[in-house]
Amino acid sequence: MTDFSALFVGQRAVDQAPSGHLAPPRYRLLLVDDEPGVLHALTRVFRRENYEVVVAASGREGLDRLAEAPTQLVISDYLMPAMNGAEFLREVKARYPETIRIMLTGHADTGAVMGAINEGVVYQFSLKPWDDNGLRVSVALALEQYDLIRRNRSLSEENRQKNREIGALSRLAASNRSQ
């Protein structure tokens, strides 16, 4: 199990890079909202945690930021001009299916939000105004889910490889017996 205590306030990663500097953040978070005040508030929530936090003011800009580097988690506002949060997160899912997606909304358009959840576009949704600690916990749990899914895929691939090796050894043993 991953040690998520290093992700919370007051805890910094103690791993040292070979050069003696702190290791770079382990997770990259993208925050997308068309309101600068909301982006500043969200950035403040995560500023003391061991994340690389990047921001975007629109869905289009968010897609550009996602293309820059692997991103483990996206938090997006629902109500934005040009591309709403559900459309943006649908596109994120199509392009980066492993990225965890959280929708933040201040508008009770439950039909649209529930539609996004039912389609699997959204891992979770939170209401504005949010509780800082609750949002931190939600993000930590989402990242734990991300790690578990990746570890499961890795173990499944390792299992397939081992099964291929066992099959090859069984065929070799059978051919040796027949000789």
Side-chain angles (χ1 to χ4, degrees):
M1 191 61 72
T2 307
D3 178 15
F4 283 92
S5 64
L7 299 176
F8 290 101
V9 176
Q11 303 275 332
R12 287 289 187 182
V14 293
D15 296 345
Q16 295 287 322
S19 65
H21 295 92
L22 282 179
R26 180 170 176 203
Y27 299 106
R28 186 172 195 251
L29 276 56
L30 172 63
L31 311 175
V32 183
D33 199 303
D34 61 318
E35 297 178 42
V38 172
L39 285 177
H40 285 108
L42 284 169
T43 302
R44 180 188 46 77
V45 170
F46 299 110
R47 76 172 179 252
R48 295 169 68 194
E49 301 186 12
N50 194 24
Y51 303 131
E52 175 187 356
V53 176
V54 293
V55 298
S58 69
R60 186 66 44 216
E61 184 183 346
L63 293 173
D64 292 343
R65 298 303 303 257
L66 284 168
E68 295 171 356
T71 304
Q72 289 71 37
L73 187 132
V74 174
I75 299 175
S76 175
D77 184 27
Y78 173 71
L79 194 58
M80 296 186 292
M83 178 187 294
N84 72 33
E87 295 165 339
F88 168 66
L89 293 176
R90 193 172 292 113
E91 189 65 28
V92 171
K93 180 184 180 187
R95 294 183 189 190
Y96 310 97
E98 289 188 354
T99 299
I100 303 287
R101 299 162 304 276
I102 295 176
M103 185 182 293
L104 197 60
T105 182
H107 301 79
D109 186 356
T110 55
V113 172
M114 291 310 294
I117 291 172
N118 290 336
E119 290 177 38
V121 172
V122 176
Y123 167 80
Q124 177 183 357
F125 82 95
S126 294
L127 294 173
K128 291 180 185 177
W130 61 86
D131 171 61
D132 290 354
N133 290 328
L135 190 57
R136 284 186 191 104
V137 169
S138 292
V139 165
L141 291 173
L143 291 170
E144 183 174 25
Q145 176 84 9
Y146 175 88
D147 282 345
L148 289 171
I149 290 169
R150 291 193 51 115
R151 181 75 176 134
N152 188 37
R153 282 193 184 120
S154 173
L155 290 172
S156 293
E157 180 54 38
E158 186 179 325
N159 191 35
R160 281 190 288 277
Q161 177 63 30
K162 296 291 183 195
N163 284 335
R164 285 192 291 270
E165 291 172 9
I166 289 170
L169 289 173
S170 294
R171 288 187 297 278
L172 182 61
S175 71
N176 283 341
R177 273 187 293 226
S178 66
Q179 292 178 0

